[in-house]
Amino acid sequence: MKHWRVEQVSWDRFDPSKVDPEIVPLVKAAAMVERNGDDYAIYLKRVFRGDPDFHLAAENWALEEVQHGDALGRWGEIADPGWNYAEAFARYRAGYKIDINADASIRGSRTGELIARCMVETGTSSYYTALAEATEEPVLKEVCRLIAADEYRHFKLFYDHMKRYLAREDLSFLQRLKVAAGRIGESEDDELAFAFHCSNEDPSTPYSHDRCIAGYMGRAMNFYRFRHIERGMGMVFKSVGLEPRGRLSALAARGAWRLLCWRRDRFRAALLQEAAPALAQAA
Ligand SMILES: [Fe+2]
Ligand SMILES: [Fe+2]
């Protein structure tokens, strides 16, 4: 059912001279979150009890997400030979758990759950596209391109199921917008920050959300270009039932780009501040 396999990637083309050290911690952290996809499938199957079509789709989806983790984890181990993907993931799994014992969606409805999934896939599709375009390292470029294509297919998958549920549940435009905005706002929660901690920091270092989200976002946001945000905004608009390529979407994309640049600069300032004592010590 998968569209590609980890073994098919041209791992022997790895070129250490092309590795950007700013990308390595991001790849290692992303591997954690992706690998955790199977837990999310358990939750989705509980929320969509009695919908066998969706159950099958969620199972296949999770296989692909786990494979994203494995491919990124393998690249992380090659780029940083001292790093152990399995060990880092065991730490992540032990410390970060999503509540899989749900009887209903935490988004209030099945349509809402699917809109939230569309937001996540919009984010990952844009992110891996940005990383694929930014990196000069051929293996990472290949892996990110393959993952980005999967993420876009995932978006379409959840979007199609969302349309099916929307016809039954009839969520208002404002309700849809609220779920979408809420899920986008969660991108700076613990899921990624804790993944950054487990994959990049020593177990003896206590976890700090602020330090780790700055470590992640301060690097990740640097790789986005306006075109990625523009395309992503089109997908957000489509998910909530607005015209994806209209004037409003263009306006929102410009606003989101400004917001991203402002957040990026703040996170980078925090990163520099974090590095300052270490640099002073080294000098
Ligand atoms: Fe993924
Ligand atoms: Fe995905």
Side-chain angles (χ1 to χ4, degrees):
M1 286 308 238
K2 292 181 198 164
H3 291 83
W4 55 279
R5 292 188 183 274
V6 175
E7 309 83 63
Q8 287 166 358
V9 173
S10 326
W11 296 102
D12 55 346
R13 289 178 63 216
F14 178 76
D15 182 348
S17 70
K18 301 268 172 63
V19 174
D20 175 354
E22 284 281 287
I23 257 184
V24 182
L26 297 177
V27 172
K28 296 196 297 191
M32 308 289 100
V33 180
E34 297 278 354
R35 178 65 187 78
N36 219 16
D38 45 7
D39 249 11
Y40 213 93
I42 299 172
Y43 160 79
L44 283 177
K45 282 163 76 176
R46 293 197 174 150
V47 170
F48 289 86
R49 208 179 294 266
D51 182 344
D53 278 358
F54 187 78
H55 275 214
L56 190 63
E59 276 165 20
N60 288 327
W61 164 82
L63 287 177
E64 295 191 344
E65 298 297 6
V66 168
Q67 173 164 282
H68 297 170
D70 291 345
L72 295 167
R74 183 159 167 184
W75 188 87
E77 285 185 336
I78 299 172
D80 178 1
W83 186 66
N84 187 311
Y85 164 54
E87 267 174 30
F89 183 65
R91 269 175 73 197
Y92 185 61
R93 189 101 167 166
Y96 181 84
K97 286 195 173 73
I98 64 159
D99 185 9
I100 56 170
N101 296 311
D103 283 327
S105 169
I106 54 164
R107 311 287 162 190
S109 65
R110 290 184 175 187
T111 308
E113 180 63 44
L114 292 164
I115 290 175
R117 296 318 308 164
C118 285
M119 293 307 102
V120 174
E121 304 297 348
T122 297
T124 52
S125 154
S126 312
Y127 184 47
Y128 292 112
T129 302
L131 286 188
E133 287 175 13
T135 186
E136 297 288 321
E137 201 294 303
V139 179
L140 184 62
K141 201 179 251 312
E142 184 185 350
V143 166
C144 288
R145 275 190 186 145
L146 289 166
I147 296 180
D150 280 350
E151 308 296 19
Y152 189 66
R153 275 188 293 268
H154 294 164
F155 170 82
K156 290 206 321 206
L157 168 84
F158 290 124
Y159 178 80
D160 289 343
H161 283 280
M162 187 273 288
K163 292 290 273 188
R164 185 161 65 86
Y165 275 100
L166 186 61
R168 285 188 222 171
E169 295 181 331
D170 198 24
L171 233 64
S172 73
F173 167 69
L174 274 181
Q175 284 171 307
R176 283 180 274 162
L177 191 65
K178 208 173 139 197
V179 172
R183 184 57 189 89
I184 295 170
E186 286 168 27
S187 56
E188 289 175 18
D189 286 0
D190 281 327
E191 189 177 38
L192 273 169
F194 191 64
F196 184 87
H197 171 67
C198 295
S199 52
N200 291 292
E201 296 184 333
D202 193 82
S204 63
T205 308
Y207 170 61
S208 147
H209 170 269
D210 290 357
R211 184 188 64 236
C212 292
I213 201 67
Y216 191 87
M217 292 298 180
R219 292 178 176 89
M221 286 176 164
N222 242 353
F223 292 104
Y224 284 103
R225 297 295 170 263
F226 177 66
R227 61 180 180 277
H228 305 125
I229 303 306
E230 197 178 27
R231 180 174 162 272
M233 191 55 78
M235 291 161 81
V236 171
F237 266 51
K238 190 176 156 90
S239 308
V240 297
L242 289 171
E243 167 59 42
R245 274 176 239 289
R247 265 167 137 188
L248 193 59
S249 171
L251 196 71
R254 281 202 293 278
W257 174 245
R258 248 182 245 150
L259 182 66
L260 183 138
C261 292
W262 176 71
R263 299 290 293 158
R264 176 197 64 201
D265 294 347
R266 283 191 49 162
F267 283 130
R268 287 204 72 80
L271 256 182
L272 281 174
Q273 222 170 16
E274 185 70 36
L279 288 175
Q281 244 174 12

